[in-house]
Amino acid sequence: MSDSNPFPEDDELPDEAPDLTGIDPFEEDPSDYGDINEFVEADWSESKTARQRVKDVIVRATKPRSAAEVADLADVSPPTARDELNALAEEGTVRAESTDGGRVYQRDPDWYRIKRIRELSEKPQRALETTLRQLEEEIEEYKDTHGVDDPEELILSDESLDDEAWEDISHWRTASVDREYLRIALQYASLAESEEVIFDDDSGEDKELNSA
């Protein structure tokens, strides 16, 4: 890898790039289902505990839910749902908000974003850099093909968009989001490595002081 080129050369690339879809903390995609009821029917397991069922429901809900709504979907009592939701809120995976209609809950998207970044940062750096380069190339192809800098600009253009263009928009958006995750993951890994060096140095100084 040269100083002028931040990406690895072809002979430096690993055999396989990391699969970003594998970083998703959910086994099922809620967008595949018309509503949360369809998801529950598709992914339910009798072996799951009450807490697991409550968490399954709330992290896939597309809008804030009351404890009673979650209880009905998770097949638990309202007090149990409320207790579990409050525990998840304290844990940080769920947001709780008081409204005129009562307390409602929804998953905290920031918690899951951070989780995905941390999981990506643990993958080999070269693999992340390879995937990042591929995404950059894919995004440049979309720009060249449609003559705009981002998918939103294409949507707002005066062009009549066909099915192929809309498919490009969908993939373009996904590639753009994945690119940002990879960039942040690489920065996160670099920061973690730098902190380890600092703490190791501090530890060495402490040993010298103790030996003196």
Side-chain angles (χ1 to χ4, degrees), residues 7-212:
F7 300 110
E9 302 296 336
D10 290 339
D11 59 351
E12 298 177 310
L13 301 181
D15 295 333
E16 295 184 3
D19 181 8
L20 295 183
T21 58
I23 303 301
D24 189 350
F26 310 122
E27 295 180 0
E28 297 284 346
D29 184 352
S31 62
D32 292 338
Y33 303 95
D35 57 35
I36 194 68
N37 296 290
E38 291 182 21
F39 167 76
V40 170
E41 292 175 2
D43 195 49
W44 209 247
S45 171
E46 294 181 358
S47 64
K48 291 188 177 182
T49 65
R51 179 164 188 156
Q52 289 172 329
R53 297 200 302 274
V54 168
K55 187 173 183 179
D56 279 350
V57 169
I58 197 61
V59 299
R60 292 172 170 86
T62 56
K63 63 180 181 180
R65 296 273 183 174
S66 68
E69 290 176 313
V70 173
D72 183 51
L73 291 167
D75 193 25
V76 299
S77 68
T80 296
R82 188 176 299 107
D83 290 344
E84 297 298 349
L85 288 166
N86 287 332
L88 291 169
E90 290 182 8
E91 179 184 285
T93 58
V94 168
R95 288 180 180 175
E97 180 183 2
S98 297
T99 67
D100 293 339
R103 194 171 175 86
V104 294
Y105 304 84
Q106 60 182 328
R107 78 169 185 168
D108 187 341
D110 290 340
W111 189 92
Y112 290 97
R113 291 188 187 107
I114 293 171
K115 182 178 187 292
R116 187 183 188 197
I117 289 167
R118 291 184 64 180
E119 290 178 343
L120 274 172
S121 70
E122 294 172 355
K123 292 184 175 294
Q125 180 178 341
R126 289 203 320 178
L128 296 179
E129 290 171 343
T130 299
T131 307
L132 179 57
R133 186 174 75 171
Q134 293 170 345
L135 290 172
E136 295 281 11
E137 293 172 350
E138 179 183 348
I139 290 170
E140 286 303 316
E141 288 180 5
Y142 292 133
K143 290 181 180 180
D144 292 341
T145 298
H146 298 286
V148 294
D149 291 330
D150 59 66
E152 278 60 44
E153 186 178 349
L154 178 57
I155 293 174
L156 296 175
S157 67
D158 294 331
E159 293 186 27
S160 178
L161 304 179
D162 56 19
D163 291 343
E164 185 175 351
W166 281 110
E167 185 175 355
D168 280 354
I169 288 170
S170 177
H171 292 312
W172 192 348
R173 282 173 166 171
T174 299
S176 297
V177 171
D178 286 343
R179 177 182 61 180
E180 294 309 308
Y181 270 112
L182 283 167
R183 286 175 172 173
I184 297 172
L186 285 165
Q187 292 173 351
Y188 182 91
S190 177
L191 174 61
E193 183 177 349
S194 298
E195 287 184 339
E196 286 180 5
V197 172
I198 293 173
F199 290 137
D200 285 345
D201 289 344
D202 291 344
S203 175
E205 291 176 4
D206 291 341
K207 290 179 180 178
E208 291 179 5
L209 290 174
N210 292 332
S211 62

